[in-house]
Amino acid sequence: MSTPNSPIGPAAATPMSTAATAPEVLFDDVSKFYGEVLGVNRVTLRIPPGITSLVGPNGSGKTTLMNLMAGLIHPDRGVITMRGLSPRHPERLMRILGYATQYDSAPRGSTGLDFVTTGLILTGFSSAEASTRAQAALHRVRMAEASRRKVASYSKGMRQRIRLAQAIAHDPDILVLDEPLNGLDPLVRAETIALFREYAALGRHVILSSHVLQEVDIISDQVILIANGMIIAEGQIRSVREEIHQHPSQFVIRCRDASRIASLLFEHDHITQIKMQDDRLGLLVMTRNRADFSRALTRISLAGHTVESIVPADENMGALYEYLIGGDR
Amino acid sequence: MTNAARLRQVWTIARLQLTRVFFSKRSFWVYLLAFFPAVIFFAHGVEVKFKRDRYTSRVTPSSVLDAIRAGDSEGDVLRQAPGPVSDERYRPRRRRRGPDAEQQRTPDRRFLAYWDGSKRWELNFEDGILQTKRARPLNDFEEDRQVYAGVFQYFYLRLAIFFGCLGIFMNLFRGEMLDKTLHFWFLIPARREVLLAGKYLAGLIAAVVIFGSGAALSFALMLWPQDPTALQTFWATDGLSHVFWYSAAAALACVGYGSVFLASGLLLRNPIIPAVTILFWESINGILPAMLQKLSVLYYVEALCPVPPPMDSNAPLLIRLLAAPAEPPTAAFAVLGLLALTALVLFVASRAVRNIEVNYGVE
């Protein structure tokens, strides 16, 4: 049983949690339409455990995907499996899934503690255990002090945290979170990311949507880029980047004799552009062939030129977003 | 999950939902509907009590009043019985002029009322001569029971419970959709059917408590000013049976209309459409073929009412048919029929709730 002083969830014993046999989230050719408006179209996904970020512009279908996972909406075609369970069976699925939506759902006049406790009682916990778990969850999201206040009086960030507390209170194997970091202050944001990492480290799913691409870079084990209801790319950020051939890969090389290395690199066809950095101790190199670039740089190093560091410049969400979806975030 | 655990879930959902149902701002008017007749009966009771208290100080023996005959003059009557409890005189304001003025003039009228301790005597004079005399109780228990039967059947069953259930049960899902809180319930580990049952139970408890209290209070207030002897006889004979069947009819109306509006709330967005359609269907029930009459809540619950409502025998046949079914079922058939109808409607609702989606954007 969790206590307010021990982190809820990953380390806690979970009598309600089901050890699923197929620990993946699967979408098989799933489409969803709202009347004639496309929600998502022919989505096929295999999401392994870990932190997965859904990234896409407004109206791209991120929330639709999440609602489909939780069974709040049903696909017009295709099949969804959440660690072996169908979203059509909330009685089983909701024991292993916690979903923090972007909407408040606290009954009018209820306090934060009431709200989280109510969810746990409905899950089947006794009043005493529900209260203990609720307090632990509230403690985990730094809402213990404000838990006796009415939800209606909370700020945006506090509402965000109370929804997160409700989602994690029953210690689910799958956390689905719609823009969970919105409105959080830096300290709570860092703690929330740490919580996601704890969950992911235990082989659980943390699926979230975010507009803050820098955060997606930092926290995600894999990303799913979605636009106009279609999956544009999915996988680890690096592997997604490697699949994008029409945009040259960018690397920043820090070195002493930058101009000499630049001239040596220009002898190779796959190098499309080199920019000297202002301090003349670095180069931004664009190449069409990462493998050839790697070999060329090895040869240059062996020839006695000192290369201090090589860092990919566009293996991040910002670059992927720009390449695959466009500048409008 | 065991069925016992599911039943516990149903009760937990109902318990949590009850607060929302009882204190929803959206359905505050339901209380007004339920308790409006009680206000009328209370006012009637106060009036009767007030009159009785006032009359008690001016009792005229019935033997004196019996001796008064039609044709007696005002003066004779007032000499024999000098203490009327009420004396009202009506004089025409202006008299016509002209040759036929005498034939067309309106007579002077005077009404005297006396109290003999149990009955009110009303004496009607024209131009100073007694025309009619009649004695009647201050209030007629039989008449009051008829009035209550009319209020119960025409107001409670056809309007108050109908619209009250519309307000309560349509809001159970549709109201949560409008408040963008329905996902809270859909994210609990419960079958949708269990959620439906929990919400229905909450709505039913609220509706039965609100309308049962309203009808019971009205009934009590109808009995309040009655003569104690008449009341004693009533409780010794039909009283408890009437209370039981009125309660049963009110509760079963909530059961039936609740299920219908719960299903409507799941299937339709606009409450006006089902309200108008069902109200029309229920209204024409009396003129429908026997088979179709059975698909009406009113058909069953009216049959349970212990006192037929008052109906003017001169009313057109259509009105009389609309007010009451041609062949009311027996009480047992009515109860079983209504429960069967409710089960059918709830089955349809359970199919609908499985497919309902949380889509706040289109609300």
Side-chain angles (χ1 to χ4, degrees), chain A residues 32 34 70-74 88 90-91 94-95 99 101 103-105 107 115 118 121-123 166, chain B residues 1 6 9 12-13 16 20 180 183-192 354-360:
Chain A
K32 175 66 189 173
Y34 300 105
L72 295 185
I73 55 175
H74 307 300
R88 283 276 186 182
E91 188 179 75
M94 291 308 158
R95 291 186 188 285
Y99 182 15
T101 67
Y103 294 105
D104 284 332
S105 58
F115 174 54
T118 300
I121 288 172
L122 286 167
T123 302
Q166 202 216 5
Chain B
M1 198 173 192
R6 288 195 185 106
Q9 268 188 328
T12 307
I13 292 165
L16 292 168
R20 284 190 181 196
K180 299 185 177 175
H183 63 278
F184 174 77
W185 299 104
F186 282 4
L187 293 177
I188 61 173
R191 285 184 180 189
R192 292 280 178 91
R354 281 187 205 172
N355 295 318
I356 194 170
E357 296 188 339
V358 172
N359 187 6
Y360 300 140

Side-chain angles (χ1 to χ4, degrees), chain B residues 338-356:
Chain B
L338 187 89
L339 293 178
L341 181 69
T342 302
L344 176 70
V345 175
L346 286 178
F347 175 74
V348 172
S350 74
R351 307 301 294 183
V353 78
R354 281 187 205 172
N355 295 318
I356 194 170

Side-chain angles (χ1 to χ4, degrees), chain A residues 240-257:
Chain A
V240 171
R241 176 63 190 94
E242 284 173 358
E243 293 297 315
I244 305 172
H245 299 295
Q246 68 268 37
H247 290 277
S249 298
Q250 299 180 19
F251 293 91
V252 172
I253 301 173
R254 296 296 291 177
C255 52
R256 297 250 170 88
D257 45 353

Side-chain angles (χ1 to χ4, degrees), chain A residues 89-274:
Chain A
H89 298 114
E91 188 179 75
R92 298 170 65 197
L93 178 67
M94 291 308 158
R95 291 186 188 285
I96 64 155
L97 187 144
Y99 182 15
T101 67
Q102 54 184 303
Y103 294 105
D104 284 332
S105 58
R108 203 175 285 126
S110 66
T111 65
L113 181 61
D114 290 341
F115 174 54
V116 180
T117 308
T118 300
L120 287 165
I121 288 172
L122 286 167
T123 302
F125 289 102
S126 67
S127 294
E129 189 168 6
S131 175
T132 308
R133 281 178 166 268
Q135 286 176 36
L138 290 161
H139 180 80
R140 192 69 180 82
V141 298
R142 283 181 161 262
M143 282 292 288
E145 283 182 18
S147 65
R148 309 262 173 195
R149 278 171 49 194
K150 287 186 176 172
V151 175
S153 70
Y154 286 172
S155 67
K156 184 183 175 189
M158 292 166 93
R159 283 164 194 247
Q160 190 74 271
R161 281 186 275 161
I162 208 77
R163 289 198 289 265
L164 182 60
Q166 202 216 5
I168 64 171
H170 62 295
D171 195 20
D173 289 333
I174 306 170
L175 261 182
V176 182
L177 310 159
D178 202 348
E179 303 278 357
L181 302 174
N182 261 8
L184 301 186
D185 63 55
L187 180 61
V188 177
R189 190 176 282 237
E191 288 176 350
T192 306
I193 291 171
L195 170 72
F196 298 163
R197 288 210 172 108
E198 270 182 61
Y199 265 79
L202 285 162
R204 300 180 179 191
H205 281 84
V206 180
I207 300 168
L208 54 94
S209 67
S210 179
H211 279 107
V212 186
L213 300 183
Q214 290 86 343
E215 272 167 1
V216 173
D217 269 339
I218 296 166
I219 63 177
S220 306
D221 296 319
Q222 52 267 326
V223 294
I224 295 168
L225 275 90
I226 180 167
N228 299 320
M230 287 184 280
I231 303 299
I232 307 294
E234 60 160 311
Q236 294 178 349
I237 294 177
R238 184 173 184 184
S239 58
V240 171
R241 176 63 190 94
E242 284 173 358
E243 293 297 315
I244 305 172
H245 299 295
Q246 68 268 37
H247 290 277
S249 298
Q250 299 180 19
F251 293 91
V252 172
I253 301 173
R254 296 296 291 177
C255 52
R256 297 250 170 88
D257 45 353
S259 27
R260 178 60 188 147
I261 290 174
S263 64
L264 288 170
L265 284 171
F266 260 132
E267 291 172 6
H268 298 272
D269 294 343
H270 57 84
I271 301 295
T272 59
Q273 198 178 352
I274 299 177

